[in-house]
Amino acid sequence: MAPQRRAADVKAAQARNFDALNAVVGTTGFDPHLRFLNYGYAPLPGEEPVGPKLGPLFPNPDAARMLFQLVGDLDLTDRVVADVGCGRGGNLWLIGRHHQPRATIGLDVAATSVQLVAERVPGAAAILGDAERLPFADASIDVLVSVETSCAYPDLDAFLCEAARVLTPGGWLLHSDLLPAEVGRAAVEALGTEAFDVVTHRDITANVLAARSASAARQGSVFDATTAAGADGGALVAEYLGTERSGFGRSLADGSRRYRLSRLRRTDRPAPARPILDDALRARAAEGAAETAELLAPSQPPDPDERAAR
Amino acid sequence: MDATVFEWVQGRLASVLELDPSEITPTSHLADDLDADSIDLIETINAAETQFGTKIEEQELYDLETAGQLAELIERSMPR
């Protein structure tokens, strides 16, 4: 099969997967409260949490802390903020709750997610679109947020170059994801050579695993009542929860994927010419994206061990 | 605070959290004293919406600290 065709298939699968997840969540009473689709960031012992204090009953606080880690002490007042791969709009909602941006824009490949953002995130523009071909003018975005979404892009290289193109000089790319181990590191290093200054680049796998280990079982209880283990949503929900036995959980444990967080400041040098990653890394990223699509496919039968454990 | 609404909250939380209703007072801190989490709270709110026809604003919900504040929020959100 031609590479372009495969990439289009992978993107269509990602959209279907998240439409399916939204449908599963929509059957629960938690639908309006489940905003974030990231595994979360838990401070490790001795580490001070970053960002605004959340009430003791705030839902999915670790997922909110992922955004707080990325934003850090940036002043988002009067900035144009785009969340590419915005999912259910949690990041934009949270930014609107704690900051005063000039505009917030959510872009996603899944139509149901775009609709949720349009309906539920006050003031946000919601756009159905492709992260590899951003529908934004050159130097038009001040802050581009990308949380746990680039691992689904068949052409990661295209997205990174698009991010450099659309950001204003001095603007920020705030990126976190569980990419294949060698890809995540190389991507940040490649961006840091010309188009960006690398301000923060951390491996946060331990923080993400800590968040999952604290929350996955409890979050799973929300779905048990509404999604029988054998139902279509079972495997999807297990991957979404990132339990130890899920595909993502295993890939983080065995080191084939690492979860990295980076904060990159756009320089005034021109956007890089493609490609910025070599052939092997681009191929590995594409393979990782295809694997992501497969792991999240709702038709996949749930892992029998996973079912027994839940 | 409406006593009926608080009694309902007391009974509901007692059932969700497997506590004796007498352990829940208006000043009980939901997280620190009762060990409730957001999932418990959202379940309680969803039940209140069914029971009383309330529509709760999320912003207020996430900042609640005590069982009494929860009862007051439900009461404030009732259709008039």
Side-chain angles (χ1 to χ4, degrees), chain A residues 34-127:
Chain A
L34 202 162
R35 295 191 178 75
F36 301 101
L37 296 177
N38 78 69
Y39 284 154
Y41 179 101
L44 298 176
E47 182 183 344
E48 277 297 306
V50 167
K53 189 173 179 298
L54 299 172
L57 299 171
F58 186 97
N60 301 316
D62 287 339
R65 287 189 193 106
M66 177 69 80
L67 180 71
F68 292 158
Q69 283 291 330
L70 283 164
V71 172
D73 58 3
L74 293 186
D75 182 2
L76 301 183
T77 307
D78 212 26
R79 301 292 188 100
V80 176
V81 180
D83 187 1
V84 173
C86 62
R88 297 169 63 88
N91 290 330
L92 296 174
W93 169 79
L94 197 62
I95 285 171
R97 201 173 190 240
H98 295 283
H99 300 268
Q100 288 78 45
R102 186 185 337 153
T104 50
I105 306 159
L107 179 135
D108 204 275
V109 71
T112 53
S113 291
V114 171
Q115 193 183 341
L116 286 174
V117 173
E119 289 169 1
R120 297 184 185 175
V121 184
I127 302 171

Side-chain angles (χ1 to χ4, degrees), chain B residues 14-25:
Chain B
S15 150
V16 169
L17 302 171
E18 297 176 357
L19 296 171
D20 190 282
S22 66
E23 294 177 68
I24 301 167
T25 71

Side-chain angles (χ1 to χ4, degrees), chain A residues 29 33 35 57 93 97 218, chain B residues 37-38 40 46 58-59 62:
Chain A
H33 307 282
R35 295 191 178 75
L57 299 171
W93 169 79
R97 201 173 190 240
R218 181 67 177 125
Chain B
D37 65 13
S38 64
D40 298 318
N46 288 344
E58 64 195 24
Q59 294 279 10
Y62 300 154

